[in-house]
Amino acid sequence: MSKIEAELNNRANVDPIYFRSLSPTQLENISVSCMKEVAPSTPFRPEEIKLVSGIAFPDIVADTYYGVEVKSTQSDHWKSTGSSIIETTRNKKVESIYMLFGKLGGKPEFRCRPYEDCLYDITVTHSPRYLIDMNTDKNNTIFAKMNTSYNKLRTSKDSIAQVRRYYRDLIKAEDRQAMPWWLDEIEDRSNSLIVRHITSISPEEKQRVIAQMYLLFPSCMIESNYIEPAMWLVAYHKIVCHNMRDYFSAGGRARYLNGQELSIPVPAIVKRFLDIAPIIKSEIGEMISELDIFNPELLAGDNLYLNWVEQVHHLLVKRFGDTILFREWVLNGDKLAV
């Protein structure tokens, strides 16, 4: 790769105008031709080097197990957008990949580095893609930031969830009101680009997503802070609710417990949590991946539902006082009424 880098830089110095005019496809063809020319002075043979390009990853394969991804920019810098983090089109036999990067703006120049050493962040088009910077320090790659490695992340069964979790934690640490979102490549996209208003969905779906908000964001729902639940609703379900406060903050108090009048009425939010509890009990097993991102405290014990009941109980007592017996009411199957 160092010989290819040197050869391409020699050619670019001789004819910079030609190299500035190259399209990505032309650059791939020149790169593979150059590789075949320098191959006899290396352990590789020219016939072992093949351009696959197209939708395949990486663009060039050498001796079955080695690959070269060719990237370029017409600008005078060393940055570009790379391939998908999912790597669904990756050649399964390729074990080691190098990045061959052509900076074609300004004075054309080429650099080669191990693929994972120049990936510094992730961006989103239709799916998460790596961001390339050939000046990236090895200690500042996206993998170093995530405390993992390129090979561990690419072979993981939950790479999307790991990346979401990383950005979720980063957002929380920076105290920003934002949420990571993208369409990943294993999603059913039959309706993934359609955004709906909450009033247009079926009662069953509405009940389910509302229950999920009470599961994932109990503190927000108790405090009537709907920014994060509203972003989650759009990001994960493509459902818009512009009047969250009107939807969830109806006033009033629950005055009866199992038909008996309470000596001290309780806030309506307690009744909502009590009413939604049976739905959460049936849904919670399907929400583990999102719990891991938005409410990981529930994953500490064996019984997710009881963990949620305990969590909500403490949040309600903290907010409204110890006359709230949420834990007991849920476990007894009690009912509150206005």
Side-chain angles (χ1 to χ4, degrees):
M1 294 308 299
S2 62
K3 290 186 176 184
I4 294 161
E5 179 182 299
E7 178 62 25
L8 284 171
N9 279 321
N10 287 336
R11 296 185 188 187
N13 284 332
V14 171
D15 195 352
I17 295 176
Y18 170 69
F19 274 83
R20 288 192 197 103
S21 70
L22 291 177
S23 69
T25 299
Q26 290 172 321
L27 182 58
E28 289 173 1
N29 286 314
I30 290 172
S31 298
V32 76
S33 174
C34 183
M35 290 177 70
K36 289 183 177 183
E37 288 181 27
V38 303
S41 63
T42 74
F44 294 94
R45 293 175 297 177
E47 60 271 22
E48 295 174 331
I49 301 169
K50 298 176 181 178
L51 176 64
V52 289
S53 191
I55 62 170
F57 174 77
D59 298 315
I60 299 169
V61 174
D63 193 21
T64 306
Y65 304 107
Y66 303 92
V68 178
E69 180 71 356
V70 182
K71 291 291 182 184
S72 62
T73 176
Q74 295 293 331
S75 302
D76 190 14
H77 57 62
W78 291 100
K79 294 183 178 182
S80 184
T81 302
S83 302
S84 167
I85 71 169
I86 306 294
E87 295 190 358
T88 52
T89 61
R90 182 187 174 110
N91 185 312
K92 304 302 181 187
K93 293 182 179 179
V94 171
E95 296 178 357
S96 181
I97 299 176
Y98 264 73
M99 180 79 74
L100 172 58
F101 194 99
K103 178 184 72 66
L104 305 183
K107 178 186 176 182
E109 188 179 347
F110 290 85
R111 291 183 187 174
C112 293
R113 292 185 68 184
Y115 182 70
E116 61 267 33
D117 287 357
C118 47
L119 306 177
Y120 74 97
D121 209 341
I122 291 170
T123 189
V124 181
T125 53
H126 67 284
S127 65
R129 303 173 74 85
Y130 290 118
L131 287 175
I132 302 163
D133 185 350
M134 297 302 286
N135 290 318
T136 301
D137 186 281
K138 286 184 68 173
N139 295 321
N140 200 39
T141 66
I142 184 61
F143 313 108
K145 295 172 186 175
M146 292 179 61
N147 196 29
T148 186
S149 69
Y150 167 64
N151 282 325
K152 283 183 180 179
L153 186 64
R154 76 176 183 83
T155 57
S156 171
K157 293 181 180 179
D158 67 341
S159 56
I160 289 284
Q162 287 185 51
V163 175
R164 279 196 182 116
R165 194 177 308 121
Y166 165 72
Y167 283 103
R168 163 75 173 172
D169 291 344
L170 188 63
I171 288 165
K172 289 176 69 176
E174 295 175 353
D175 197 25
R176 289 187 287 138
Q177 292 179 338
M179 183 168 295
W181 171 79
W182 45 76
L183 305 177
D184 66 54
E185 295 186 1
I186 57 174
E187 259 188 279
D188 174 11
R189 296 190 192 154
S190 59
N191 66 347
S192 60
L193 297 180
I194 298 172
V195 176
R196 301 167 293 163
H197 193 270
I198 195 167
T199 57
S200 70
I201 65 177
S202 69
E204 293 77 17
E205 184 178 8
K206 185 186 301 181
Q207 187 179 58
R208 187 168 64 253
V209 296
I210 288 174
Q212 290 171 1
M213 283 190 278
Y214 280 91
L215 168 63
L216 298 174
F217 310 103
S219 180
C220 292
M221 304 308 284
I222 291 169
E223 299 295 335
S224 300
N225 180 4
Y226 302 120
I227 294 174
E228 195 168 27
M231 289 190 296
W232 170 85
L233 195 60
V234 174
Y236 281 75
H237 293 279
K238 291 86 177 176
I239 296 173
V240 175
C241 182
H242 69 280
N243 57 336
M244 292 283 287
R245 190 167 296 277
D246 294 340
Y247 224 88
F248 295 102
S249 296
R253 289 177 171 267
R255 299 179 178 278
Y256 298 90
L257 178 67
N258 299 329
Q260 300 296 315
E261 188 170 6
L262 292 165
S263 57
I264 302 176
V266 300
I269 185 65
V270 181
K271 180 182 185 304
R272 292 194 197 98
F273 270 99
L274 199 61
D275 291 342
I276 215 78
I279 304 169
I280 288 176
K281 187 174 185 179
S282 64
E283 290 281 327
I284 197 167
E286 306 298 321
M287 297 289 293
I288 292 177
S289 62
E290 289 182 57
L291 282 170
D292 194 23
I293 298 172
F294 297 107
N295 195 355
E297 294 178 16
L298 299 191
L299 302 177
D302 296 330
N303 193 313
L304 297 177
Y305 177 64
L306 292 182
N307 289 350
W308 175 80
V309 170
E310 198 68 28
Q311 180 187 57
V312 173
H313 176 84
H314 287 291
L315 288 170
L316 289 172
V317 168
K318 181 180 178 181
R319 178 72 174 82
F320 301 113
D322 56 13
T323 59
I324 306 298
L325 306 178
F326 181 76
R327 181 199 303 115
E328 289 77 5
W329 294 337
V330 170
L331 298 182
N332 291 337
D334 293 337
K335 298 292 182 183
L336 286 167
V338 294

